[in-house]
Amino acid sequence: MDEPELEDIGDYNTLKGSKKRGVWTVIIVGLLIGAVYVVVSSKYSKVNDSLEIHDPIQKVKLGK
C-alpha cells in the first residue's frame, strides 16, 4: 500500500466540497455538545444538601 504524497492530494492548500462541509459539521457539532454540557451542568450542579461545619478552633498556637 502506497503512502499518500502531497503532490497527489488535490485540495492540500484549501479544503473544498464535501471535506470542507465535513470539517464545519464536526466543529458545529462540537460547539453544540459543549453548549448542551454547559446548560445541563449549570442546571444540575447546584448542591442542596450541603452540611455546615462549625469549627470552634479559630487559631492554632505554633511553637512554645
Side-chain angles (χ1 to χ4, degrees):
M1 186 170 175
D2 294 331
E3 292 188 24
E5 297 178 1
L6 295 179
E7 293 82 19
D8 297 337
I9 299 174
D11 57 348
Y12 175 71
N13 291 327
T14 58
L15 291 176
K16 295 178 183 176
S18 64
K19 288 184 181 183
K20 191 171 192 175
R21 284 191 299 269
V23 169
W24 280 109
T25 302
V26 169
I27 291 171
I28 291 171
V29 168
L31 289 173
L32 288 174
I33 290 172
V36 169
Y37 174 78
V38 167
V39 169
V40 170
S41 67
S42 67
K43 183 176 180 180
Y44 293 109
S45 67
K46 293 181 178 73
V47 178
N48 296 328
D49 60 345
S50 62
L51 298 173
E52 291 186 31
I53 298 174
H54 299 286
D55 191 5
I57 301 173
Q58 297 296 323
K59 294 182 181 179
V60 178
K61 287 185 178 181
L62 297 177
K64 293 182 183 180

